[in-house]
Amino acid sequence: MTTTAPPTATVIRNDDEALATARALAAEFAAGAERRDAERLLPTAELDRLSASGLLGITVPAEYGGADVSIATLAEVFRLLAAADPSLAQIPQSHFAYVNVLRAQGMPEQQRFFFAEILAGKRLGNAQSEAGTKHVQDYRTRLTAEPDGGYLLNGTKHYSTGALFAHWVPVLARAEDELLHVAYVPRDAPGLTVVDDWDGMGQRTTASGTVRLDGVRVPAEHVVPHHLTFTGPQLHGAVAQLLHAAIDVGIAGGALAEAAEFVRTRTRPWFEAGVEHATEDPLLVQRFGELAVRLRAAEALLERAAREVDAARADLTDASAAAASIAVATVKAFADPVAVELSAALFEVSGTRSSLASLNLDRHWRNARTHTLHDPSRWKVQHIGRYVLNGTPPPRHGLL
């Protein structure tokens, strides 16, 4: 197997170390988040810090040298990072999803190679979604067998978060039998082009642009049969969606924290309140209390869902996988509107001055509104209802 020169990375050994590292990085990343968003400064240096910290390797199995942290810890890492900078938090979301593909379906030699790459700080990107197809799982990218035993990749991907910054780009493609595979392609492979054409109103620095694949050669040892993931009980979708939910909860927490700081330091009390400071205004106090209740509920649901996924990992059955997926769907359905609500309420509680473009406080709402469009919560509510009312297990796919 080929490789490129690896970054230098710390190897994190346990959950406590992972959380401490995430807290320190979150504080560091928060300092420049507003400027990066305002000027669309891509976080290349910050991602190198993330790689060097060892956080990208925390789900590597222990037998391959990783910490193999709990899913609860992984979700909290994402929540912490998203509260600081949700664009930075979203970039490695696919990294962990495709580490899970290797855990579930990689052959031992593939696992040895790629887990060593990841522990060295290598980043996995994402070339998954496609535009202009019938629906989100209508993949047209083709993986064609070659006489030498390798493959050729051809197609175009969109919303490729992480690909621009990646060392390896996992590409979702269909083989000639229409079965789904993941091809792990070096970022500098001939025929692979990453276009920085992302122009979303929010999550501006995720560089979620286009990947073009024009006759990209892939050796067989870099291809994993992803379709096997969904033939039995699985947690691929639950983990991926849990991380999205953690980003939403982090956005909500970051918005509420910034609103509180703004009111404490800049907002004037309404004259009818008859108080000296905005923090003494009873109606503002009431509203902050209401918003805090919504945030705490989202955080509690996130924690509960992560525990359900950990329980299912320990004893994976159809029933435990279904319970985990429903728990994750629940937090996602609740957290999405909470992130949008709290990031909008920032202006409600802070007053007219908070709307100044120079402050860029609207980034919280733009990020929430953009990220929560990733997949519709209304379908998650449908699956929850069917499960509760009729005992119908949720479908096995990567979005639940």
Side-chain angles (χ1 to χ4, degrees):
M1 290 188 176
T2 60
T3 185
T4 55
T8 300
T10 299
V11 177
I12 290 174
R13 298 299 180 186
N14 55 51
D15 294 62
D16 289 342
E17 188 178 344
L19 291 171
T21 301
R23 291 188 191 100
L25 280 181
E28 180 182 323
F29 293 162
E34 185 279 322
R35 181 168 177 259
R36 285 192 297 273
D37 175 270
E39 301 178 25
R40 197 175 181 268
L41 300 174
L42 297 181
T44 305
E46 288 77 14
L47 286 169
D48 285 345
R49 288 279 295 117
L50 185 65
S51 284
S53 76
L55 278 179
L56 296 180
I58 59 177
T59 59
V60 170
E63 60 265 36
Y64 291 98
D68 201 7
V69 302
S70 69
I71 298 300
T73 292
L74 182 63
E76 178 64 3
V77 165
F78 269 76
R79 188 194 69 80
L80 289 166
L81 294 177
D85 184 340
S87 285
L88 260 172
Q90 188 181 344
I91 289 168
Q93 190 272 343
S94 291
H95 170 95
F96 287 97
Y98 286 105
V99 170
N100 276 350
V101 172
L102 289 165
R103 287 180 61 126
Q105 302 304 336
M107 298 295 289
E109 180 59 28
Q110 291 174 318
Q111 292 176 334
R112 277 192 293 272
F113 174 76
F114 281 109
F115 290 154
E117 291 278 278
I118 290 159
L119 287 174
K122 295 293 187 68
R123 297 188 290 271
L124 305 183
N126 151 42
Q128 178 170 301
S129 294
E130 300 179 17
T133 56
K134 185 176 180 180
H135 52 72
V136 71
Q137 292 199 327
D138 179 18
Y139 301 111
R140 307 288 175 87
T141 298
R142 309 308 299 186
L143 187 68
T144 306
E146 289 280 276
D148 63 2
Y151 296 90
L152 281 182
L153 269 174
N154 287 281
T156 302
K157 298 290 189 176
H158 298 272
Y159 309 117
S160 301
T161 305
L164 188 68
F165 312 105
H167 299 95
W168 292 90
V169 180
V171 180
L172 210 54
R174 293 197 184 277
E176 291 157 296
D177 57 7
E178 297 301 320
L179 294 177
L180 207 57
H181 293 71
V182 176
Y184 291 77
V185 182
R187 169 67 176 81
D188 58 358
L192 187 152
T193 304
V194 181
V195 184
D196 181 21
D197 56 358
W198 171 242
D199 65 349
M201 68 175 182
Q203 299 297 86
R204 288 177 171 175
T205 62
T206 59
S208 301
T210 301
V211 169
R212 297 194 182 105
L213 305 142
D214 184 14
V216 178
R217 294 187 176 275
V218 186
E221 61 265 30
H222 289 178
V223 176
V224 176
H226 190 31
H227 60 94
L228 297 178
T229 302
F230 306 103
T231 58
Q234 52 81 36
L235 297 171
H236 177 80
V239 173
Q241 288 293 301
L242 184 73
L243 300 186
H244 280 303
I247 293 168
D248 294 335
V249 175
I251 292 172
L256 186 61
E258 184 135 21
E261 178 64 16
F262 195 94
V263 170
R264 282 192 294 264
T265 59
R266 300 195 186 194
T267 301
R268 297 180 297 179
W270 185 244
F271 72 95
E272 291 178 286
V275 297
E276 289 295 315
H277 305 286
T279 53
E280 300 167 331
D281 183 328
L283 297 184
L284 276 180
V285 170
Q286 174 73 17
R287 186 61 176 136
F288 269 95
E290 293 167 350
L291 296 173
V293 168
R294 299 277 283 162
L295 176 61
R296 300 297 175 256
E299 291 172 341
L301 285 171
L302 180 67
E303 184 180 350
R304 169 67 182 272
R307 289 201 306 268
E308 288 275 7
V309 176
D310 277 323
R313 277 214 306 177
D315 183 19
L316 186 60
T317 64
D318 285 328
S320 67
S325 288
I326 291 299
V328 172
T330 301
V331 63
K332 191 71 166 57
F334 187 83
D336 278 15
V338 167
V340 174
E341 177 189 358
L342 266 67
S343 55
L346 184 157
F347 300 97
E348 171 196 338
V349 296
S350 300
T352 306
R353 191 181 304 178
S354 64
S355 67
L356 295 177
S358 60
L359 297 175
N360 197 25
L361 294 178
D362 62 302
R363 73 186 187 279
H364 297 285
W365 182 87
R366 288 187 287 97
N367 289 332
R369 184 65 282 175
T370 300
H371 185 258
T372 55
L373 297 175
H374 188 274
D375 49 273
S377 292
R378 58 187 176 273
W379 273 99
K380 299 184 189 305
V381 175
Q382 282 284 310
H383 293 307
I384 294 166
R386 291 169 185 160
Y387 181 80
V388 171
L389 184 60
N390 301 314
T392 305
R396 293 173 179 160
H397 59 61
L399 296 173
L400 194 67

